């Protein structure tokens, strides 16, 4: 007997927690984040702000399908003329940490053909579950 299995996955866009996820960054947007290797997500420049983030989204979606993550959200923190910052947040079930935030910094690459957005830096940090500072150095 053949059973139909429907898998419904949600990757929420423009979450209301954007103000929390996109903590103000006047200087270095990766200050306090642990650097990751961005070359795994390096691709040809892409002029579309949605499709340029798809390599990271695909990796997160694969983890959801594998049962390692339950959900995720993506927030465009900043879209400027030359720089775009996107946060990907994956909830964590832990007493001290509520989520892991992966921040991707994209730059506008006008030197290559095609021109468009290209990942420049990637980093992650935990979001604290308690306390006044969601991005404290040490979560209480």
């Amino acid at each position: 007997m053949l059973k139909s299995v429907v898998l419904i996955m949600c990757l929420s866009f423009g979450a209301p927690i954007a103000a929390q996820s996109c903590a103000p960054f006047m200087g270095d947007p990766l200050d306090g984040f642990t650097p990751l290797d961005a070359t795994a997500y390096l691709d040809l420049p892409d002029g579309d702000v949605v499709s340029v983030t798809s390599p990271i989204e695909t990796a997160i979606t694969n983890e959801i399908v594998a049962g390692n993550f339950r959900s995720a959200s993506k927030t465009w923190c900043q879209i400027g003329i030359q720089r775009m910052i996107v946060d990907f947040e994956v909830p964590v079930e832990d007493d001290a940490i509520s989520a892991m935030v992966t921040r991707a910094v994209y730059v506008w690459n006008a030197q290559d053909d095609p021109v468009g957005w290209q990942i420049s830096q990637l980093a992650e940090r935990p979001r604290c579950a308690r306390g006044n500072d969601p991005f404290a150095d040490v979560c209480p």
Side-chain angles (χ1 to χ4, degrees):
M1 181 185 284
L2 182 64
K3 293 183 180 180
S4 297
V5 177
V6 177
L7 178 62
I8 300 174
M9 297 177 300
C10 276
L11 189 61
S12 57
F13 298 95
I17 58 168
Q20 294 176 356
S21 176
C22 301
F25 34 80
M26 299 303 282
D28 182 1
L30 300 179
D31 187 36
F33 282 73
T34 303
L36 299 173
D37 183 15
T39 58
Y41 303 104
L42 192 60
D43 204 352
L44 289 174
D46 191 335
D48 184 3
V49 296
V50 175
S51 64
V52 75
T53 62
S54 67
I56 296 175
E57 287 180 62
T58 299
I60 292 172
T61 302
N62 288 341
E63 291 293 327
I64 292 172
V65 171
N68 299 327
F69 299 159
R70 290 190 355 203
S71 64
S73 66
K74 175 173 95 174
T75 306
W76 282 272
C77 296
Q78 179 186 67
I79 302 177
I81 295 172
Q82 305 243 336
R83 181 174 78 171
M84 175 173 66
I85 300 171
V86 182
D87 280 0
F88 301 88
E89 189 164 326
V90 176
V92 175
E93 293 182 22
D94 185 81
D95 289 339
I97 299 170
S98 65
M100 287 302 294
V101 177
T102 301
R103 179 166 288 172
V105 178
Y106 297 86
V107 294
W108 184 259
N109 183 347
Q111 306 300 318
D112 292 329
D113 187 26
V115 299
W117 295 105
Q118 195 167 36
I119 193 163
S120 170
Q121 297 173 297
L122 187 67
E124 71 177 358
R125 79 178 303 172
R127 172 190 296 286
C128 297
R130 296 185 302 275
N132 295 334
D133 183 4
F135 293 111
D137 290 336
V138 177
C139 293

